Structures are given as structure tokens and as C-alpha cells.
Amino acid sequence: MSAVLCPLNSSRPVSESPAAPFATVFVTLSKQEHIQLVVDANRWKTLHRKSEERAHWREQRYRRVLRQIKEQAGQREGALRAELDLAQAKIRDLQQRLFGRKSERHKGGSEQQTQTSGPCAPRGQQRGAPGHGRTKQSHLPARTEIVEIDSPHCPRCGLALSIFPGTEDSEVLEIEVQAYRRVIRRRRYRPGCDCGCVPGIVTAPPPPRLIERGKFGVSVWASVLLDKFLYGRPSHRLLQDLADHGLKMSPGTLTGGLQALAPLFEPLEQALVGKLRSESHWHADETRWAVFVELAGKVGHRWYLWVFHSSSVVHYVLDESRSADVVQDELAGVERGIISCDRYSAYKKFARLHPGVVLAFCWAHQRRDFLELANAHPDCSPWAMTWVDAIAELYRLNAQRLEVDAASNERVTRQAALQRAVQGMACRLDTALSDHGLAEHAAKVLQSMKVHWIGLTVFVDHPWVPMDNNVAERAVRGPVVGRKNFYGSGSQWSGQLAATMYSLLMTAKLWGLNARTWLIAYLQACADNGNCAPSEINAFLPWTMEANRLAAMRADPPGAHVHTEDIDSS
């Protein structure tokens, strides 16, 4: 085996100096040892390369995992931020509902409107302005009281004072509610002849009663119905009030009496529905109403009270569902007309099934969307309030249009101005929706506005159609007050009675009738007809009444005495 002389650090240049101590030392290796060293060197180089590759692969892998974690964290952070924004928006909305102003009236307005309208004067009686004085209730009956001096004598000499002509008059308004008993004494007669035509003793007929053998008269039941369904007072408070006035009525008597009275109003209910279907424009809305009965297949006690308001009738419908079947049943046979409503799907389904029916959507709801957006997302508030100002401008132009006669040239001019404003808003809507930088929640409001645009602009070509559905929303205010005071109805028949009474009383109010006068007259007619509804109800329907009877129903209650003397009410 030949030896190989391998100088240590033999790769060092010869010119370098000084040389290392072992630079001149030579080591003798065998060929096998040299080969082994080369193999080991190559193996270590391979292991080093693989370790570098493995380290690089792990580094790339960890970078990918880290990037994925960062992306997931970013998505999670975005989701949490969106959830936080939504929660804060809900908090602001609840705070607005609980502590904010109940009115949606916007105090601001555009700069142009502010400049044209000038500063707003404070409300109420202004200092220095002439007032109208105290209202003289001259239609009330008068009870004259003479007030005299106890001892009309001169305090020094004791000589009596003489009466001076005339009196110094003033008045104080009082109210008196008094229950009384009608003691009915029926005369008895016996025949004084011998012809035999009159068999025995004859007694005068009894006066008619509203409820057979009932001891409470028409005025009591009229007060019960008005107190509950017009003034929204719970029945137990009414019973307590009657008891304080000396009239005791048990809850069972009250319930039984109302149940006996319910069938008397069915003919009037049918007449209201017939009149409602004969008209061409309706306002519709619905609200929840609790009926505490258990029905098979129905969970809970939530029912719905619907209102349909036309120019002549206000009709309420109580139903356990909120489906389009209620609208279908209420307007059965109607093929053409306009329904002013919100964007609830039941009305849309009815319009799809009846192509001749047009839906006029409510601008107040659309305006409310922008107000809620401004409250929930303060960063969008300036943008949303510009839309609120634009809607206010539409209201102003529409009001100006309706101020002038329909056949005048000024009407044409104002109609054109309104159409230009509506067209400008439509162009602005399309431009805003094409903006890719628009916030998602803002785009959602505009998309809803775009979908309902045709219904929102019905008022432009139909001036008699209001821009909003506030008529129906005001009509449900009375039932909502009743719902808050006595929670709803304890049975299905009482719920139907509530809907019927709301319909009759609100229709009477729509026609300007005195509800008490009208109700007492109808209940008395039922009593005269033997505890049944009168066969002729046209005398109690405002649109079929004679003019003199309608005027009497609108006048002050019977028995009011007109007191025309000038009295100092101070």
C-alpha cells in the first residue's frame, strides 16, 4: 500500500508569511484512510445540504402557517369588529328608543331651507301677544248660586246695608257623575164595563231593556264600552270607579253583559266591510294583540290586529296569523285600487294575485331607515341626513302642489317641479349604488329603496294618495294604548268584540260624530227592538244618515243648555 503525504493546510499560498507552526508538518495517510476522509466529507456535506433544505422547507412551511394564521386572525378581527359595531348599533338604537325623542321630526334641514324659512319662533303663547282669553263653555247647563253677605251691616254704626241693583258674576266649571235608580211604577187598570173585552186587570207594558232581565241600563253599558274601547281604561279600574260613585258591578256581570251585547253589532260590522270594499284607496297596517286562549297548532298568545282605513270607514280585523290571507279576506272581490302600506310581504303577495291593485309604499318608513342608519353608524350620519333632507324636500313640494286648485296653471308648474325632484332623486340613487366605496349598511338601505321605488312614487301621478301611511299608524294608536293598559283579550269572543268596537268608534270619530250620542242611540234602538239589532241600520251609518240626523249626531250631547250671558270667568 503506497503512502500519501498530505501537508496540513496545503492550500495556503506560499507567498503568505509567516507560516503556521504546523504548515511544514506532514502526515502520512493510507489510501484507505484518504478515501474514508473523502467519503466522510461528502457525507457531512450532504447532511448539511439536506439540513439546510429541511430548514428552508420548515421556514417556508412556518411562513405559510403564519400567513394563514394572520389571515384567519384578520378575518376573525374583522368579524369581531363587525359584531362589535352591530352590538353598538343595537345599543344606540335601544338607547334612542328608551331615552331618545319619540318624534322622528328632524330639527335640522338643509341650509337652503334654513335660509328661506328663517329662525323658528318659540312655541306657545308669546309675551305681549294678544290672547284669546278663557274658553267659555256656554253649552254646559248652568246652576245659579246666590252668594250673600252673612251680616250686611256697617261695621262702625251697625246700620243695615241696602241691596244694590245687579250682581257681580263669575263662573266655576264642575263635573258631577251620579248613579241613580230608575224606579219604574207601572200603572194597573181594571175594566169599568161589563162588555168583557178586557179580561181582568191590565198593567202598563214594561220599558224596553237592553239585556233581558238585566238591571243595568243603556247609559251604563254605553259608558262601559266607551271607557274600555275609546278611552283605553281596564275594566277593573272602571268597576272600581263605578264603585266609588256608589254603583257596584261584579266582574262576572260585566263579562256576561259584554258577551250578550256582542251580537248586536254584527249588522254594523258587515255594513262597514261592504262600504270598505266599495272604495278604491285604503291605508293598511297591523300590530300585535294578545288573546289568552289555547288553540291547537298555535304556539303562544300573539295574534294580530289589522286596520284598513278608507275615506269613509276604519275597520279592524283580529286574526291569529299575519299572512296575506287576512288581506285577501278583507278585500274579497276587490280587483282594482291603491293600498298605502309598509313593505310587509303580505301586501306584496296580494298585489301579485291582483294585478289591478297598486301598492303605495310609505316614505315615512324609508325616511326611518336613514334615521336608524345615522343612529346606528355615526360615521354615515352626515351622508344619511342628506337623504333625510331630500325626502323633506319631496314632502314640501308635494304640499305646495296640493295647495293650489287642480285645474290651475300653477298646479301644472308645481307638478313639474315635483317630477323633476323625484327624477333627480332617482338619478342620485343609481349613482350612489354604483359607488363601490359605499358602506355595506348604507348600500343595504339604498337597495331597499331601489326595490320599492315604483311604489314610493305612486303619489306623483295620484295626488290624492298621501306620501306616507301615517293615517293607518294613527288609527292603531288607540288599540296600542288599550293593549298596554289591559294587555289584550282574555277570550276569542272578547277579542272580536274589541275589533268590532274599535271599528265602530273610530269610524264615528272619522265622521266627526259624538261617540256617546251615537252609541246610546244605537243601544236604545236595540233595546226597543227586543234585545236585537234594529232591522234598519241605515239610520246609524254615517254615509246613509239624513243630513239633519248627521248634524244632530255631531252636535253637543242632549241636555246641554246654552248659557249666553256674559260672565267673568276669572
Side-chain angles (χ1 to χ4, degrees):
M1 179 180 295
S2 60
V4 179
L5 297 179
C6 297
L8 296 178
N9 200 14
S10 58
S11 60
R12 185 184 182 95
V14 178
S15 60
E16 292 183 6
S17 61
F22 298 101
T24 58
V25 179
F26 293 88
V27 177
T28 303
L29 297 176
S30 64
K31 186 67 174 180
Q32 183 178 359
E33 291 175 339
H34 178 264
I35 294 173
Q36 186 64 37
L37 288 175
V38 173
V39 171
D40 291 343
N42 292 335
R43 182 170 64 85
W44 287 113
K45 289 179 180 180
T46 302
L47 293 175
H48 180 263
R49 186 182 71 255
K50 290 182 178 181
S51 64
E52 286 183 340
E53 292 176 353
R54 187 163 53 252
H56 179 71
W57 176 81
R58 289 180 177 176
E59 182 180 2
Q60 295 298 326
R61 177 188 174 188
Y62 293 152
R63 288 181 182 274
R64 288 194 302 270
V65 173
L66 182 61
R67 186 166 55 252
Q68 293 176 357
I69 293 176
K70 287 183 177 180
E71 292 177 355
Q72 293 176 357
Q75 295 176 357
R76 178 60 177 166
E77 182 181 4
L80 291 176
R81 288 186 179 277
E83 185 177 353
L84 178 61
D85 292 341
L86 179 61
Q88 291 177 343
K90 289 182 178 180
I91 291 175
R92 285 190 291 268
D93 180 64
L94 292 175
Q95 288 177 339
Q96 171 65 26
R97 292 172 185 268
L98 187 60
F99 305 111
R101 297 173 64 247
K102 301 303 180 184
S103 174
E104 294 179 351
R105 181 174 298 176
H106 178 39
K107 290 185 177 180
S110 62
E111 181 179 356
Q112 181 180 1
Q113 294 177 357
T114 304
Q115 293 176 354
T116 56
S117 61
C120 296
R123 299 178 61 184
Q125 179 69 27
Q126 304 302 313
R127 185 181 297 276
H132 55 76
R134 292 184 175 182
T135 302
K136 296 182 178 181
Q137 307 280 357
S138 57
H139 63 282
L140 296 176
R143 297 181 182 179
T144 304
E145 298 179 5
I146 304 298
V147 180
E148 299 179 349
I149 301 177
D150 294 336
S151 180
H153 296 82
C154 177
R156 175 175 295 181
C157 64
L159 186 64
L161 302 178
S162 60
I163 298 178
F164 185 80
T167 58
E168 184 174 341
D169 299 337
S170 63
E171 67 178 21
V172 177
L173 297 179
E174 299 283 356
I175 187 171
E176 178 180 304
V177 178
Q178 182 178 3
Y180 64 93
R181 295 179 299 118
R182 290 173 56 196
V183 180
I184 302 170
R185 303 184 186 275
R186 294 186 289 156
R187 290 289 185 181
R188 295 184 297 177
Y189 304 86
R190 63 182 177 183
C193 60
D194 298 331
C195 61
C197 295
V198 181
I201 298 176
V202 179
T203 306
R209 294 176 184 260
L210 182 60
I211 299 177
E212 186 177 1
R213 301 183 63 184
K215 67 177 182 178
F216 294 102
V218 170
S219 60
V220 175
W221 291 114
S223 297
V224 168
L225 293 172
L226 292 173
D227 204 75
K228 186 175 183 68
F229 299 114
L230 187 60
Y231 309 128
R233 186 160 61 158
S235 298
H236 70 276
R237 294 186 192 172
L238 170 63
L239 296 180
Q240 183 179 357
D241 187 19
L242 294 177
D244 293 341
H245 288 87
L247 179 62
K248 296 183 178 180
M249 176 188 291
S250 66
T253 302
L254 176 66
T255 303
L258 292 178
Q259 193 168 8
L261 295 179
L264 301 179
F265 301 103
E266 292 179 358
L268 295 176
E269 172 88 2
Q270 297 173 3
L272 293 183
V273 175
K275 181 63 176 177
L276 182 76
R277 293 172 179 172
S278 67
E279 299 185 323
S280 59
H281 178 225
W282 312 271
H283 290 267
D285 200 5
E286 71 286 335
T287 186
R288 59 182 175 85
W289 187 268
V291 180
F292 297 97
V293 295
E294 302 294 336
L295 296 181
K298 179 173 179 59
V299 179
H301 303 107
R302 172 170 290 192
W303 289 44
Y304 293 93
L305 187 66
W306 298 67
V307 60
F308 296 87
H309 193 302
S310 67
S311 60
S312 304
V313 175
V314 185
H315 188 241
Y316 295 82
V317 180
L318 181 65
D319 196 271
E320 58 184 279
S321 70
R322 202 182 174 204
S323 67
D325 295 338
V326 180
V327 188
Q328 180 69 32
D329 295 339
E330 180 70 3
L331 299 180
V334 172
E335 296 298 334
R336 303 188 65 85
I338 299 176
I339 302 178
S340 296
C341 58
D342 54 21
R343 296 161 293 191
Y344 182 47
S345 59
Y347 307 110
K348 299 178 183 178
K349 181 178 179 180
F350 180 79
R352 289 196 304 268
L353 297 177
H354 300 78
V357 175
V358 178
L359 300 183
F361 293 120
C362 178
W363 274 101
H365 284 78
Q366 186 62 56
R367 179 178 181 272
R368 191 174 304 154
D369 289 345
F370 288 108
L371 293 176
E372 291 177 353
L373 174 65
N375 181 61
H377 304 278
D379 54 327
C380 295
S381 179
W383 177 87
M385 297 313 295
T386 60
W387 284 95
V388 173
D389 293 337
I391 295 174
E393 179 66 12
L394 291 185
Y395 271 94
R396 186 183 67 83
L397 293 175
N398 185 54
Q400 289 181 350
R401 175 184 64 165
L402 299 178
E403 289 175 354
V404 297
D405 185 71
S408 63
N409 294 330
E410 183 64 22
R411 180 64 171 266
V412 177
T413 303
R414 297 187 180 187
Q415 174 74 19
L418 176 62
Q419 291 176 344
R420 287 194 300 270
V422 172
Q423 184 61 35
M425 181 175 288
C427 296
R428 178 184 176 184
L429 176 62
D430 294 335
T431 303
L433 286 175
S434 62
D435 184 7
H436 298 290
L438 187 64
E440 180 181 359
H441 33 266
K444 184 177 179 181
V445 174
L446 294 184
Q447 288 169 359
S448 174
M449 186 176 180
K450 180 68 175 180
V451 170
H452 300 92
W453 183 254
I454 296 178
L456 287 171
T457 55
V458 170
F459 76 98
V460 178
D461 297 328
H462 303 82
W464 63 89
V465 177
M467 290 181 62
D468 48 49
N469 196 32
N470 291 347
V471 172
E473 294 202 1
R474 285 192 295 266
V476 299
R477 185 176 299 171
V480 168
V481 172
R483 180 187 68 199
K484 294 177 67 175
N485 289 344
F486 49 81
Y487 304 112
S489 303
S491 61
Q492 192 167 351
W493 71 263
S494 62
Q496 297 298 337
L497 176 62
T500 300
M501 292 309 303
Y502 284 133
S503 301
L504 297 175
L505 296 177
M506 291 300 105
T507 300
K509 184 178 179 180
L510 177 66
W511 283 82
L513 304 183
N514 186 303
R516 186 176 297 273
T517 303
W518 176 87
L519 186 57
I520 289 178
Y522 181 76
L523 293 180
Q524 187 61 51
C526 293
D528 295 339
N529 198 37
N531 317 117
C532 298
S535 57
E536 183 60 39
I537 63 173
N538 289 336
F540 301 97
L541 300 176
W543 56 89
T544 59
M545 283 185 189
E546 296 180 356
N548 55 351
R549 181 177 176 83
L550 185 62
M553 289 288 182
R554 289 173 173 171
D556 296 322
H561 173 69
V562 179
H563 189 60
T564 58
E565 297 180 4
D566 293 333
I567 296 178
D568 180 15
S569 59
S570 60

